[in-house]
Structures are given as structure tokens and as C-alpha cells.
Amino acid sequence: MLPKIQGRAAWVFQEPNFDIDLIVGVDHMKTQDVNILKSVCMTSFDPEFPDKVRAGDVIIGGKNFGYGHPHYPSCRALRALGINAIIAESFSPGFYRGESSNGYPLIECPGITSAVERWQTISFNWETEQISVEETGDVLQCQRVPLKSKDLILTGGIIGYLKKVRLEKEG
Amino acid sequence: MNQTIAEKIFSRVAGRTISAGTEAIFPPDLITAYDYPGYIDKYETQMVEELGITSVKHPERFVLFIDHLYPAGTAKAQQIHQITRRFAKRYGFKLHEGDGIGHQVISEKGYVKPGMFVTHFDGHISTIGALGALGIGIRNSMIEAFATEEVSLVVPGSVRINLEGALQRGVTSRDVFHWIVREIGPDGCRQAVIEYGGKGLQSLEMDERFTLCNLAMFLGGISAVMETDEQTDQYLERTTGKRHPPVFADPGARYEREVTINLSDVEPVLVAPPSPANTISISDALGTRIDSGYIGSCASGRIKDFQQALEILEGKHVAEYFRLNAVPTTTRIQAQMSELGLTPKLINAGAQVHVSTCDFCIGQMGALSEGERSVSTGTLNIPGRMGSNRAEIFTASPYTIAATAINGKITDPRTML
């Protein structure tokens, strides 16, 4: 079953073309220790971010989120803190391809940055592909989530996907 | 049906008419990769240990390159190359080592033909768009290509960029690309294939076209592809030994957006740190002190780039304490530079001319230290890209780098031509 996406907006990035590397900072592009990544995650935006977030929270992004030359530690840090999805106006294709292959739910939702404020609660309906904002009752239609992206989420990433969806089918 | 070039390519690969927005599984004509810690070494572990795949059906569709950490400066780097050699032997893949940067070698060695669909981890494979082929970076789903010889993707839409006019003296295709970023924004071609065409395109030489296609990702593009013409035919005749059918879009093809750029409007620009989105006019940075320059990478570093630099450098010398690294994109280009007499001229002007490698672009060689500033034709200007996170990188054209190298500060190349 696809994971429930219902949680608070732990941060709203209004800016377009956000460089995902800034989430842990360029000094941590080669950091492997997930505890270090968690401790620095988003602290340049809110020094208490790692303490304020809880499992199930989401990040809201602007247009072309993930632009530039995205590296993986930032999303490792977000996931380790329990951020279980990123919902953005749109994603940069390289970032989308990379993180969706890791099985991370990425939802494109035009209008999301003006509909949600920090700490408001959203929920995503996988059937209708709509996002509801609890506090305002607003409902936003998202872009279609590709079948492959759903399979990658269900199978936990590219290796699980290949084993369960692609290689098994080929016999 | 009126199709874009990308739709034609995906339709040919799928064996049925297919249009933008369709999600399907496609077998690439070529699957290509380079080694780096966490790439081919990881693919080998995934293939052998996690997926138990011991052979592939079409080994001839795979080409591997050793171009990063090359020549190996440490035993650890050499070990990465050893894994790549072992991986290539194990599966019967073609391997190129020491031939230069794969994104260009793949064209130079005749692998790329117009209309082909090629996948790589790295989005700069879009370089091959200059030959009317479609190269797409699929990031960590590369293991999907290795394991199944197919990739699942949603056929992207296309943005048509019509080029008109011709470049002014002192302006290059490097300026053109970053000019377009400023004109239509770094997401101006988001999630789309950039399709270049028009009379202005025909005025650009092949070396300039490779540069324009290479940088597609910084317009948000999935890739770039160009209409072919007589120049493309001549290039392909040299590399593949024969002529190929032309590549063009159908009249009435549907685009997400159409943009016209008049090449004669373009002026020298810089990309200021810390992001490839930051195109600025050269007039905004004139006089900025610079410590080093780099002409090379998969984006630039071809014969035309060095010829342009030498229009300014020849008979002069770089400023005291300025370090100028000239790094040919491929080993064949390195040989041509010698044959054409470019290498001694660069050396006499105070440049260091190196063997072809990716390493200057990623700070493995010629690294910058804290507080230093560089002008570079490398692909990227993010912090830490060429050494210290506290060094600054301005990306620029070879002309601008040459003029800046002479004065040790950012200089408008048009004042020195």
C-alpha cells in the first residue's frame, strides 16, 4: 500500500530553483553519518528545525525545486527526521529522477506554496491525486504521479522495483 | 502525426507512434557510464550481489569510460578503475580509458548516430544532441538500464528554441546558453527536451553546438537535440564513415513553448557564484580580482574554445601569479591542438596544458583554496565544485577567461580583440 501522506508543513520554500544541497549545506555533501546529517538538517533556515519536526511532516517546495547539481545527503537527512514527502510546485528533472529512484514520494502540486503556511496540516489522496489543507479546507489538484514513481515508492527504491516489478515480469 | 524530434526518436525506439506525456519502457540504443566512487563499483555490487545478473543480452550496447580521477592520483582511485575494468570484462562491455571525457569521446569514436536514444547517469550526455541524438541522464536508475537494458520514463515534451542571426565577435555559444537562461529563466525548459533549430544554428560550428547541448540541465531541460545539417553530415561522415538521414521536427509539431533568440543580440555574460542560474552581464563584474582560469570540461575544451582563447592570448602572457589551466576535452583534441600549433602558443602565453580529464572541473586537480576566485568553462559554479567551499567560481567563455587571465581581473574580451 502506498504510504499515508498526512502531516504538517515543516517548511515552505517559496523561492523557485531551490538548491537542495542547502538543506544540509555544501560542507556536508560527503557526510555519510546520518546522525550528523540529521543534526545539521535545515538548521541554516531554522536552528531548531531537527527538534521541531516529527514523523509524518512534509516539506513544501516552490517551482523547479531541486535545481542545480543535487546530491543525496539532503534527502537522507530529511527522511531520517521523518519527513516522508516533498510536495512542490514543480521539481527539477534531475532531482525528481534521483530521489524518486530512492523511493521518496515527490508530489507536484501547482499552487501549493500560496495555499499552505508553515505548520498547517496537509493530506494527499493517492486515488484522486488531490491535496487538502486541513486548516482552510482548500483542495488542490496535483499532477499525475507516474506509475513507475508509485512502484518505486511501493518497493522501497530502484533495487526493490527491479526485483519485484521488472525482472520478475521478464521471468 | 506532426512530431518533435524527441517524439520521433521515442517512437522509433518504441516501434509505435508515441507522443509527449506517454509513460512507457524504452530500450536505449546505447547505455553509457563513467566510473567514480559510488557509480560503477556500486552497479557491479547491485548487478552481481543484489540482482544476481551474470550476463546481458546485448553487451554491444554498453560503453564505459574512465575519465574521472584520471590519471589516478592515489591507489584508491586506481582501485576504482580496476573495478571498472573488471566490470567491463565480466559483461563484455566496451571500455575507453585515457581517450578523454566520455560525453565527447562517444561522438568522436562514432558510437553516436543521429536519431539515437542514449542513457547515462549524468545529464551532460545531452552533449550528443549536437548530432541529432537524444542523451538522457537517468541518475540512479542507471542500474535499471544495466539490469534490464530498458528504462521506464514519461516521454518529455519539447521546447523549441529558434536561433536567428549570427554571433558578434568576442561572443561564444557559452554566452548564448547563459543568455538564454537569463531570458527565459533557469526553469524555462523544465522537464522538456530543448530542440534547437533555425538558420542561426547553421551559423554555429560543431564545437559550439556541443557546448550549447551540453548545458541543457541548467535550463531545467531533460536533454537537448538539434536539427542536423551539412556540418553535422560532414562530422558524422568522419566519425561513422557514412551519411545519415537528416533529423528535423515535422511542421506543426506541438511544443510546450517556442522561443526565438537572435544570436546577434547576445553579449558576453558571466555566471556568478553560487548557482548556474545567476547569469550577469560582464559589465556587472568588471575588475573583480581573479586567481585562476580553467578552459576545459565536457562543456568546453574543444578546438574552437582554444582558438578563441588564443585570439587574445597569443603573443601575450597571463598576469603574474595567475594560473591558467587548458584541458582538452578529449585526447584526440589534444593531438589536434598540437597539430594545429595551439599547444605551444598556449604554453608560451603561460598556460598549463594538461591531458584530457574531468578532474579540473571537479576540483580533483588544479583545486581552489579558501578565498580564491576562478573563471571557468567548467559546467558548474556551486560552492565546493572546484575545491574549497569558500572559493568562488564564475563560469565564462574562453574569450572572457583569456582576457581575464592577461589582466588578473575580469575583463571584457571585446576590448582585447
Side-chain angles (χ1 to χ4, degrees):
Chain A
M1 209 171 74
L2 286 160
K4 184 174 174 183
I5 297 176
Q6 181 174 24
R8 305 173 308 165
W11 192 262
V12 181
F13 286 103
Q14 292 287 350
E15 57 269 50
N17 310 308
F18 178 72
D19 178 354
I20 189 80
D21 291 351
L22 300 176
I23 284 181
V24 292
V26 290
D27 290 338
H28 289 285
M29 287 305 99
K30 289 179 180 160
T31 302
Q32 298 285 335
D33 186 333
V34 79
N35 289 318
I36 294 174
L37 291 174
K38 275 164 74 174
S39 71
V40 298
C41 184
M42 292 287 294
T43 49
S44 59
F45 299 91
D46 174 354
E48 290 163 15
F49 186 89
D51 299 321
K52 287 180 182 168
V53 292
R54 62 179 186 230
D57 285 352
V58 301
I59 291 283
I60 306 292
K63 283 185 183 161
N64 205 23
F65 189 83
Y67 173 79
H69 208 266
H71 297 85
Y72 295 113
S74 290
C75 281
R76 276 192 75 209
L78 290 175
R79 294 181 83 161
L81 284 175
I83 304 282
N84 72 355
I86 300 177
I87 296 150
E89 297 277 344
S90 60
F91 292 103
S92 176
F95 172 76
Y96 184 87
R97 190 98 203 169
E99 286 305 328
S100 63
S101 295
N102 289 338
Y104 201 19
L106 306 175
I107 313 288
E108 290 193 322
C109 182
I112 189 72
T113 50
S114 44
V116 180
E117 288 174 16
R118 194 179 185 200
W119 302 127
Q120 286 185 333
T121 300
I122 64 98
S123 60
F124 177 67
N125 182 326
W126 285 102
E127 291 296 314
T128 60
E129 299 188 324
Q130 288 176 332
I131 281 182
S132 309
V133 185
E134 207 167 86
E135 286 78 1
T136 62
D138 285 352
V139 176
L140 290 92
Q141 184 62 48
C142 303
Q143 303 284 1
R144 184 168 55 88
V145 180
L147 182 63
K148 183 187 185 184
S149 299
K150 288 183 183 169
D151 283 342
L152 284 161
I153 295 166
L154 282 168
T155 53
I158 189 75
I159 293 295
Y161 164 78
L162 289 172
K163 281 182 181 168
K164 289 178 193 152
V165 181
R166 297 286 295 283
L167 293 168
E168 203 166 77
K169 206 182 277 179
E170 289 168 15
Chain B
M1 188 157 169
N2 303 323
Q3 292 187 303
T4 63
I5 294 175
E7 285 172 328
K8 287 186 182 186
I9 292 174
F10 281 114
S11 296
R12 200 259 312 147
V13 175
R16 63 190 164 96
T17 303
I18 214 158
S19 48
T22 308
E23 186 174 2
I25 294 174
F26 301 92
D29 298 299
L30 276 175
I31 295 162
T32 175
Y34 52 62
D35 77 2
Y36 196 76
Y39 289 57
I40 287 177
D41 52 333
K42 188 169 156 194
Y43 305 146
E44 187 186 53
T45 308
Q46 289 175 325
M47 286 281 273
V48 177
E49 291 171 23
E50 297 182 47
L51 299 171
I53 295 170
T54 53
S55 65
V56 300
K57 280 188 201 134
H58 302 99
E60 71 282 3
R61 290 186 190 162
F62 294 79
V63 194
L64 308 182
F65 296 96
I66 292 179
D67 52 15
H68 288 68
L69 310 180
Y70 187 86
T74 62
K76 208 173 163 190
Q78 193 62 262
Q79 197 183 353
I80 288 289
H81 299 332
Q82 284 290 23
I83 293 170
T84 299
R85 295 179 195 115
R86 180 176 74 198
F87 185 63
K89 275 185 204 158
R90 186 195 288 253
Y91 291 97
F93 301 154
K94 185 76 185 165
L95 172 67
H96 288 273
E97 174 174 353
D99 286 333
I101 303 177
H103 299 314
Q104 185 65 22
V105 176
I106 198 169
S107 291
E108 203 176 78
K109 296 281 181 191
Y111 290 104
V112 178
K113 300 174 185 76
M116 268 190 167
F117 168 46
V118 181
T119 55
H120 195 300
F121 175 92
D122 184 328
H124 292 301
I125 191 62
S126 61
T127 312
I128 64 169
L131 300 180
L134 192 62
I136 295 190
I138 58 172
R139 310 251 325 154
N140 47 6
S141 39
M142 264 309 280
I143 187 60
E144 178 186 355
F146 275 107
T148 69
E149 301 176 50
E150 293 179 323
V151 292
S152 165
L153 47 85
V154 178
V155 175
S158 293
V159 171
R160 172 80 179 190
I161 298 185
N162 290 304
L163 301 176
E164 290 179 352
L167 292 174
Q168 293 182 58
R169 188 155 161 74
V171 179
T172 74
S173 60
R174 194 75 204 206
D175 298 301
V176 173
F177 181 83
H178 299 299
W179 180 275
I180 299 173
V181 173
R182 188 167 61 178
E183 288 288 305
I184 67 173
D187 63 345
C189 301
R190 197 189 66 81
Q191 201 73 34
V193 172
I194 305 168
E195 186 181 291
Y196 288 103
K199 281 266 184 290
L201 176 59
Q202 292 171 19
S203 73
L204 298 178
E205 294 179 20
M206 289 310 298
D207 283 357
E208 297 173 299
R209 299 182 193 187
F210 284 119
T211 297
L212 210 45
C213 287
N214 171 280
L215 296 162
M217 67 170 77
F218 302 124
L219 274 166
I222 280 190
S223 188
V225 68
M226 287 176 168
E227 289 176 342
T228 59
D229 64 6
E230 183 54 32
Q231 276 198 71
T232 334
D233 287 347
Q234 285 173 10
Y235 183 97
L236 286 160
E237 207 162 3
R238 282 199 306 276
T239 57
T240 68
K242 61 177 184 182
R243 298 211 142 215
H244 299 270
V247 170
F248 56 90
D250 294 329
R254 287 183 59 183
Y255 296 100
E256 292 183 1
R257 178 177 194 180
E258 291 192 58
V259 178
T260 299
I261 299 290
N262 193 327
L263 296 175
S264 57
D265 292 340
V266 179
E267 294 186 25
V269 292
L270 294 168
V271 186
S275 158
N278 286 348
T279 304
I280 60 169
S281 296
I282 195 161
S283 55
D284 294 336
L286 288 177
T288 305
R289 176 192 58 80
I290 300 291
D291 304 288
S292 86
Y294 162 50
I295 302 173
S297 83
C298 55
S300 305
R302 300 180 180 83
I303 294 296
K304 182 80 181 173
D305 298 302
F306 295 113
Q307 287 172 332
Q308 288 170 338
L310 279 168
E311 283 182 48
I312 287 172
L313 289 172
E314 192 173 355
K316 298 191 183 73
H317 199 278
V318 303
E320 198 178 12
Y321 297 118
F322 192 96
R323 313 186 298 273
L324 179 60
N325 292 307
V327 189
T329 305
T330 69
T331 305
R332 180 153 177 247
I333 291 169
Q334 182 189 16
Q336 287 173 323
M337 285 168 67
S338 296
E339 287 157 18
L340 294 168
L342 308 183
T343 304
K345 286 178 188 167
L346 286 163
I347 291 170
N348 291 338
Q352 302 288 314
V353 183
H354 302 273
V355 298
S356 181
T357 174
C358 302
D359 289 4
F360 285 84
C361 192
I362 57 172
Q364 287 287 331
M365 293 179 81
L368 305 173
S369 68
E370 186 169 339
E372 285 199 304
R373 282 199 206 103
S374 171
V375 282
S376 159
T377 62
T379 55
L380 199 54
N381 63 341
I382 55 170
R385 174 68 177 187
M386 294 173 69
S388 169
N389 290 339
R390 283 156 197 85
E392 290 186 324
I393 305 162
F394 290 83
T395 46
S397 79
Y399 279 126
T400 301
I401 293 170
T404 299
I406 299 291
N407 292 329
K409 58 188 183 184
I410 289 178
T411 303
D412 189 329
R414 293 171 298 186
T415 62
M416 296 183 72
L417 285 165

